Amino acid sequence: MKKRKKLRSDIAWSDATHIVVRGHNLVDLIGTTSLGDFAFLELTGRLPTPEESTVFDAIVVVLVEHGLTPSAISARLTYLGSPEALQAAVAAGLLGIGDRFGGPAEEVARMLQEAIAGGGEEGDMAAGIVAVKRAAGRPVPGLGHPIHRPVDPRTARLFEVAAANGFSGRYVSLMNAVSGEASRVFARPLPVNATGAIGAIASELGFEWRVCRGLAVIARAIGLVAHLLEEDREPLASEIWSRVDDEATEHLRGITDERD
Amino acid sequence: MKKRKKLRSDIAWSDATHIVVRGHNLVDLIGTTSLGDFAFLELTGRLPTPEESTVFDAIVVVLVEHGLTPSAISARLTYLGSPEALQAAVAAGLLGIGDRFGGPAEEVARMLQEAIAGGGEEGDMAAGIVAVKRAAGRPVPGLGHPIHRPVDPRTARLFEVAAANGFSGRYVSLMNAVSGEASRVFARPLPVNATGAIGAIASELGFEWRVCRGLAVIARAIGLVAHLLEEDREPLASEIWSRVDDEATEHLRGITDERD
Amino acid sequence: MKKRKKLRSDIAWSDATHIVVRGHNLVDLIGTTSLGDFAFLELTGRLPTPEESTVFDAIVVVLVEHGLTPSAISARLTYLGSPEALQAAVAAGLLGIGDRFGGPAEEVARMLQEAIAGGGEEGDMAAGIVAVKRAAGRPVPGLGHPIHRPVDPRTARLFEVAAANGFSGRYVSLMNAVSGEASRVFARPLPVNATGAIGAIASELGFEWRVCRGLAVIARAIGLVAHLLEEDREPLASEIWSRVDDEATEHLRGITDERD
Amino acid sequence: MKKRKKLRSDIAWSDATHIVVRGHNLVDLIGTTSLGDFAFLELTGRLPTPEESTVFDAIVVVLVEHGLTPSAISARLTYLGSPEALQAAVAAGLLGIGDRFGGPAEEVARMLQEAIAGGGEEGDMAAGIVAVKRAAGRPVPGLGHPIHRPVDPRTARLFEVAAANGFSGRYVSLMNAVSGEASRVFARPLPVNATGAIGAIASELGFEWRVCRGLAVIARAIGLVAHLLEEDREPLASEIWSRVDDEATEHLRGITDERD
């Protein structure tokens, strides 16, 4: 086996008597470290401050449960076919947390981080961001919401928690400036939605933009397990299957008179 | 679309101004509820007591990170081929949390829950459990460990945290009795391992046995995102690929003289 | 890197000028070997005879397309969320080809192969198989069908193709004997269904029982890609999402009067 | 359940006595239709001509097996953890057929189809394609190969099969022109590789560019099942796991003297 490059990982190791995660003895963390703090440790390599802990938990909590999403339905349908493998049903659900559902927070964070890395006045950054999206005929991510109108109720609370813990800095400010600029340019109210708030606050916490899709995946795994436990008690999958199949192939069957 | 059965889910709903999860206004939970407590709410329908919160976090934290497992390596290899889809790499990793890695805690919990549901003396239950596994030629789940010898350092701490919070009852006691009986019958030390402790404590918390595989999946999703972020900075996948391919097909190539 | 065991794979290798699959120069197979024959080569290590080719294609073709199954719907829902990753949508669909949908052909093949390996008279084998299932309160796999009644139209044709090509031997005969015995014991017609025919014929072809789930997976991957291409032109996922979410959470919203 | 849009699928339907796929009685196709032809029917809605059949099989066959790829290793590692769910191991492998491995044929087909849809002289199209990629600092897809040098042995054979069956038209010609132009501009030989040939020939067959990733997924599903069957007999996963974990965490353990 020809070696070209040494394999190296700094996350964890164990032997007969040690289990070490990110430099901490795992045993010392059991019973003293919350799940959110442990996740922060995993992702950043250090435990959070109390303020970071509160803000991190706040943004992840918002991502856990969005009701009967395509992901949740897909997980339930998968569980019907593969009851032996709950992990596969969760995985099927997570596969739908892509560009459309997991992507926007990532896109917000990237947009803000690249703008601020580029430097300049906030107003100019906001104008630049909106102009680029407009020229491309694409929506500005993190603004507006198809259901939560006129404002997304999560946004104010997320920004409030971030501010109360010292994480309302340049990214949050820029996100609000982008909202103002976009509302002006597109001549309609485009308030920051939960995704916009999460992308901005994750940036305040120092997370690289690509972590945001990962936060959505972590959070949604929790929600999907809850949906599968409910599916066990109150199944939906089989009924969805028969309804969809019946309706979608009705025109092929040539029987239109006996259905509702 | 012929309806035979009403579709019904009690987990969450939202409209323009409401987002309600398990009967709670989501906005009220932001900044006040930890990730672990929110997960408990999702899975059980209610927020945990402080004691439940500590014990729940303790058992999930232990499941997050097990180093460069097959799952972590699989996730990293998947990310190499599909960098556009972090969610797919996490999903690939979770697909390996099945009967061999996610199953044992589930098996422990089931074994304990079915024994206690059946009733009887603890000693008889323990003897019955060990006898059944022995007759089937299968190991008793939750006992012994290939690496952590003579004892799994996580077990004592998990049981300590459970006891300190009032969750050391019949399931923990039975698990210890099973360990004693198995050690006697197989004539070698078979102490309770972390999996055994988790299965017992999850049962104390009132979780149905099938939740245990879900807890492993939830926890591991966190660990897998951490591995993918590291893979971005310190890639392993490409090197693993070339080493494995070179070595495994060496005999087909007929070239044995220029390799180590 | 400590080596304990030499890694070895006999499937394929390549270098600058060679690409060799199962001992064949890939270039020689391009344009001369059908997809089905190549699949047979991959799975068995040799190209099929013309008779094997016909029979192998026949059983796999039957597994490709079963309409708007849970798998197909799950793939379409996943594609809605992750349009950047068609592979993830196919994977989500395949995750549902488990114990319930991919398992029965596997179970048939295993049941037949283990019975015949055990030896004895065909009538005794059939009686034993039915008795074991009956005692366990489980259906005999490969018999009856919820939709295709009184007989599965695929079965007779599959058995005809197998017989015409010399693959109607002990396994097919035993499957038919099991059908006769089960119909007698359960006192209702239980004809062999397509799954039963496939499990028996795969056994005639010499495939180990665990290959059968793999054949279902291979076949269904084709069908799932077709569904995703249709989803691109004629989307179903978004409509399914909104209908399911609306109906399933209606009781939580307290609004029952304004829906159909 | 509020209906906004009729669900409709034209792929397949069945009832007690009919199973119809793309307008064909499935029973009529059993024993008369090869797997490749059935796949063509699924994807296009009609059976192929003999020439289309040969060319379609040729391009898909090339995509089935690429040795111990990251996908194959990932599938094997997943199978170690979830032996109960072969479908999950195949899915894990397919999840790696994304932008890096499944994307290039798609990118080639898109590049050729968009150029030809735009119209103009072939030389101008080729020059435009190469100029755009060069300006973006990105390689021209479908050209050169890291291993198969100086030429990819599959390309000539694929083009030969395509030509012999009447599928060497504008797309193949443009792909060759792109190769000539790129070789000139980058001043080094950049011959068409197998991916370039497949993208061009799939375009000749009339496939929309996005089908190409699907063809890779279909083909690779076959290869992955073959790898998992081999893993059952000749396991690699456990050894890869222990080697990778040992080496990658060696520096954390502080033990450098007893390893190779």
Side-chain angles (χ1 to χ4, degrees):
Chain A
M1 204 170 181
K2 196 162 48 181
K3 295 184 192 177
R4 273 150 289 201
K5 178 182 173 297
K6 177 76 164 61
L7 303 179
R8 181 188 168 105
S9 170
D10 294 324
I11 297 178
W13 67 275
S14 65
D15 63 16
T17 52
H18 298 81
I19 300 169
V20 179
V21 177
R22 295 292 197 185
H24 292 260
N25 186 341
L26 175 63
V27 170
D28 297 339
L29 302 178
I30 297 172
T32 60
T33 307
S34 74
L35 181 60
D37 288 3
F38 198 90
F40 190 97
L41 171 66
E42 273 280 296
L43 298 176
T44 69
R46 64 174 178 82
L47 286 166
T49 64
E51 293 75 22
E52 287 170 330
S53 173
T54 298
V55 175
F56 179 78
D57 276 1
I59 61 175
V60 181
V61 154
V62 170
L63 294 163
V64 168
E65 180 55 65
H66 289 194
L68 279 161
T69 55
S71 275
I73 303 169
S74 174
R76 286 167 178 259
L77 290 161
T78 303
Y79 197 45
L80 175 66
S82 299
E84 78 278 17
L86 180 101
Q87 74 277 8
V90 176
L94 292 182
L95 290 174
I97 311 297
D99 273 4
R100 181 157 167 188
F101 298 119
E106 179 183 71
E107 196 184 350
V108 167
R110 184 176 194 170
M111 168 182 95
L112 300 175
Q113 291 176 21
E114 290 181 350
I116 283 179
E121 289 287 324
E122 182 178 276
D124 296 341
M125 291 181 204
I129 285 170
V130 174
V132 164
K133 295 294 181 186
R134 192 188 198 191
R138 301 198 52 187
V140 182
L143 302 181
H145 198 281
I147 293 167
H148 302 306
R149 303 178 153 209
V151 296
D152 186 326
R154 299 164 293 187
T155 306
R157 180 64 187 145
L158 282 165
F159 280 157
E160 182 184 16
V161 171
N165 287 280
F167 288 97
S168 188
R170 291 181 303 164
Y171 298 100
V172 169
S173 181
L174 177 55
M175 190 69 223
N176 281 317
V178 168
S179 168
E181 170 73 5
S183 301
R184 195 184 61 73
V185 168
F186 294 104
R188 68 171 195 276
L190 285 167
V192 179
N193 60 28
T195 300
I198 290 167
I201 296 170
S203 301
E204 298 285 347
L205 285 169
F207 286 112
E208 195 200 356
W209 58 264
R210 79 185 67 230
V211 178
C212 290
R213 188 180 293 217
L215 297 180
V217 169
I218 287 170
R220 204 55 68 84
I222 296 169
L224 289 167
V225 172
H227 277 273
L228 293 170
L229 296 178
E230 187 180 65
E231 180 71 18
D232 244 355
R233 293 188 306 273
E234 177 77 28
L236 306 182
S238 189
E239 175 69 14
I240 294 170
W241 172 22
S242 58
R243 286 196 205 173
V244 170
D245 190 27
D246 282 357
E247 178 178 329
T249 63
E250 197 177 28
H251 65 291
L252 298 175
R253 297 166 193 268
I255 41 173
T256 55
D257 53 355
E258 49 179 317
R259 311 266 158 163
D260 60 326
Chain B
M1 204 171 183
K2 197 163 43 180
K3 295 183 193 179
R4 272 150 288 202
K5 175 181 174 299
K6 177 76 162 63
L7 303 179
R8 180 190 169 105
S9 169
D10 295 322
I11 296 177
W13 67 275
S14 66
D15 63 15
T17 51
H18 299 80
I19 301 168
V20 179
V21 177
R22 294 291 196 186
H24 292 260
N25 185 342
L26 174 63
V27 170
D28 297 339
L29 301 178
I30 298 173
T32 59
T33 307
S34 74
L35 181 60
D37 288 3
F38 197 91
F40 190 97
L41 172 66
E42 274 279 295
L43 298 177
T44 68
R46 65 173 178 82
L47 286 166
T49 64
E51 293 75 22
E52 286 170 330
S53 173
T54 298
V55 175
F56 179 78
D57 277 0
I59 61 175
V60 181
V61 154
V62 169
L63 294 162
V64 169
E65 179 57 64
H66 289 194
L68 279 162
T69 55
S71 275
I73 303 169
S74 175
R76 287 167 177 258
L77 289 162
T78 303
Y79 197 44
L80 175 67
S82 299
E84 79 279 16
L86 180 102
Q87 74 278 7
V90 176
L94 292 182
L95 291 173
I97 311 297
D99 273 3
R100 181 156 167 188
F101 298 119
E106 179 183 70
E107 196 184 349
V108 167
R110 184 176 194 170
M111 168 181 95
L112 299 175
Q113 292 176 20
E114 291 181 349
I116 284 178
E121 289 287 322
E122 184 179 274
D124 296 341
M125 290 182 206
I129 285 170
V130 174
V132 166
K133 293 295 179 185
R134 191 187 198 190
R138 301 198 53 188
V140 182
L143 302 182
H145 199 281
I147 293 168
H148 302 305
R149 303 177 154 210
V151 295
D152 187 326
R154 298 164 292 189
T155 305
R157 180 64 186 145
L158 282 164
F159 280 157
E160 181 185 18
V161 171
N165 287 280
F167 287 97
S168 189
R170 291 182 303 163
Y171 298 100
V172 169
S173 181
L174 177 57
M175 190 69 225
N176 281 318
V178 168
S179 167
E181 170 74 5
S183 301
R184 193 184 63 73
V185 168
F186 294 104
R188 66 172 196 276
L190 285 168
V192 179
N193 61 28
T195 300
I198 290 168
I201 297 170
S203 301
E204 296 286 347
L205 286 168
F207 285 111
E208 194 200 358
W209 57 265
R210 78 186 67 231
V211 179
C212 289
R213 189 180 292 218
L215 297 180
V217 168
I218 287 170
R220 204 55 68 84
I222 296 169
L224 289 168
V225 172
H227 277 273
L228 294 170
L229 297 177
E230 186 180 66
E231 180 72 16
D232 244 355
R233 293 188 307 272
E234 176 78 27
L236 307 182
S238 190
E239 174 70 13
I240 294 169
W241 172 22
S242 57
R243 286 194 205 174
V244 170
D245 190 27
D246 282 357
E247 178 178 329
T249 63
E250 197 177 27
H251 66 292
L252 298 174
R253 297 166 192 268
I255 41 172
T256 55
D257 52 355
E258 50 179 318
R259 313 264 159 162
D260 60 326
Chain C
M1 202 170 183
K2 199 162 45 180
K3 294 183 192 177
R4 271 149 292 200
K5 176 182 173 298
K6 176 76 164 61
L7 303 178
R8 180 188 169 105
S9 170
D10 294 324
I11 297 177
W13 66 275
S14 66
D15 63 15
T17 51
H18 299 81
I19 301 169
V20 178
V21 177
R22 295 291 196 185
H24 291 261
N25 185 342
L26 175 62
V27 170
D28 297 339
L29 301 178
I30 298 172
T32 60
T33 308
S34 74
L35 180 60
D37 288 3
F38 198 90
F40 190 98
L41 172 65
E42 273 279 297
L43 299 177
T44 68
R46 65 173 177 81
L47 287 165
T49 64
E51 292 75 21
E52 287 170 330
S53 172
T54 298
V55 175
F56 178 79
D57 277 0
I59 62 175
V60 181
V61 154
V62 169
L63 295 163
V64 168
E65 179 57 64
H66 289 194
L68 279 161
T69 55
S71 275
I73 302 169
S74 174
R76 286 167 177 258
L77 290 162
T78 303
Y79 197 44
L80 176 66
S82 300
E84 78 278 17
L86 180 101
Q87 74 276 6
V90 176
L94 291 183
L95 290 173
I97 310 298
D99 272 5
R100 181 155 166 188
F101 297 120
E106 181 183 69
E107 195 184 349
V108 167
R110 183 175 196 170
M111 167 181 96
L112 300 175
Q113 291 176 20
E114 291 181 350
I116 284 179
E121 289 288 322
E122 184 179 276
D124 296 341
M125 292 182 205
I129 286 170
V130 173
V132 165
K133 294 294 180 187
R134 193 188 197 189
R138 302 198 51 189
V140 182
L143 302 182
H145 198 281
I147 293 168
H148 303 305
R149 301 176 155 210
V151 295
D152 187 326
R154 298 164 293 188
T155 306
R157 180 61 186 147
L158 282 165
F159 280 157
E160 180 185 19
V161 171
N165 287 280
F167 288 96
S168 188
R170 292 181 302 164
Y171 298 100
V172 169
S173 181
L174 176 57
M175 190 69 224
N176 281 317
V178 168
S179 166
E181 171 72 6
S183 302
R184 193 184 62 73
V185 167
F186 294 103
R188 67 173 196 275
L190 285 167
V192 179
N193 60 28
T195 299
I198 290 167
I201 296 171
S203 302
E204 297 286 347
L205 285 168
F207 285 111
E208 195 201 356
W209 58 264
R210 80 186 67 231
V211 179
C212 289
R213 189 180 293 217
L215 297 181
V217 169
I218 287 170
R220 204 55 67 84
I222 296 169
L224 289 167
V225 172
H227 277 272
L228 293 169
L229 296 177
E230 187 181 64
E231 181 72 18
D232 244 354
R233 293 187 308 271
E234 177 79 25
L236 307 182
S238 189
E239 174 69 12
I240 293 169
W241 172 22
S242 56
R243 286 195 205 174
V244 170
D245 191 27
D246 283 357
E247 179 177 330
T249 63
E250 197 176 26
H251 66 292
L252 298 174
R253 297 165 191 268
I255 40 171
T256 54
D257 53 355
E258 53 179 315
R259 312 265 157 165
D260 60 325
Chain D
M1 202 170 183
K2 197 162 50 182
K3 294 183 193 178
R4 273 150 288 201
K5 177 182 173 299
K6 177 77 163 62
L7 303 179
R8 180 189 169 105
S9 169
D10 295 323
I11 296 178
W13 67 275
S14 65
D15 64 15
T17 52
H18 297 83
I19 301 168
V20 179
V21 177
R22 296 291 198 188
H24 292 260
N25 185 341
L26 175 63
V27 171
D28 297 339
L29 302 178
I30 297 171
T32 60
T33 308
S34 74
L35 180 61
D37 287 3
F38 198 91
F40 190 98
L41 171 66
E42 274 280 297
L43 298 176
T44 68
R46 64 174 178 81
L47 286 165
T49 65
E51 292 75 21
E52 287 170 330
S53 172
T54 299
V55 174
F56 179 79
D57 276 1
I59 62 175
V60 181
V61 154
V62 169
L63 295 162
V64 168
E65 179 56 66
H66 288 194
L68 278 161
T69 55
S71 275
I73 303 169
S74 174
R76 286 168 177 257
L77 289 162
T78 303
Y79 197 44
L80 175 66
S82 300
E84 79 277 18
L86 180 102
Q87 74 277 7
V90 176
L94 292 182
L95 290 174
I97 310 298
D99 273 5
R100 180 155 168 189
F101 298 119
E106 180 183 71
E107 195 184 349
V108 166
R110 184 175 194 169
M111 167 181 95
L112 299 175
Q113 290 175 22
E114 291 181 350
I116 283 177
E121 289 287 322
E122 183 179 277
D124 296 341
M125 291 181 203
I129 284 170
V130 173
V132 165
K133 294 294 181 187
R134 193 189 196 187
R138 301 198 50 189
V140 182
L143 302 181
H145 198 281
I147 293 167
H148 302 305
R149 303 180 150 207
V151 296
D152 186 326
R154 299 164 292 189
T155 306
R157 181 62 186 147
L158 282 165
F159 280 157
E160 181 184 19
V161 171
N165 288 280
F167 288 97
S168 188
R170 290 181 305 163
Y171 298 99
V172 169
S173 182
L174 176 55
M175 190 69 224
N176 280 317
V178 168
S179 167
E181 171 72 5
S183 302
R184 194 185 62 72
V185 167
F186 293 102
R188 68 176 198 277
L190 285 166
V192 179
N193 60 28
T195 300
I198 290 166
I201 295 170
S203 301
E204 297 286 347
L205 285 169
F207 286 112
E208 196 200 356
W209 58 264
R210 80 186 66 231
V211 179
C212 289
R213 188 180 293 218
L215 297 181
V217 169
I218 287 169
R220 204 56 67 84
I222 297 169
L224 289 167
V225 172
H227 277 272
L228 293 169
L229 297 177
E230 187 182 64
E231 181 72 16
D232 245 354
R233 293 188 307 272
E234 176 79 25
L236 307 182
S238 190
E239 173 70 12
I240 294 170
W241 172 22
S242 57
R243 286 195 205 174
V244 170
D245 190 26
D246 283 355
E247 178 177 329
T249 63
E250 197 177 27
H251 65 293
L252 298 174
R253 297 167 192 267
I255 40 172
T256 55
D257 52 356
E258 52 178 317
R259 311 267 160 161
D260 59 325

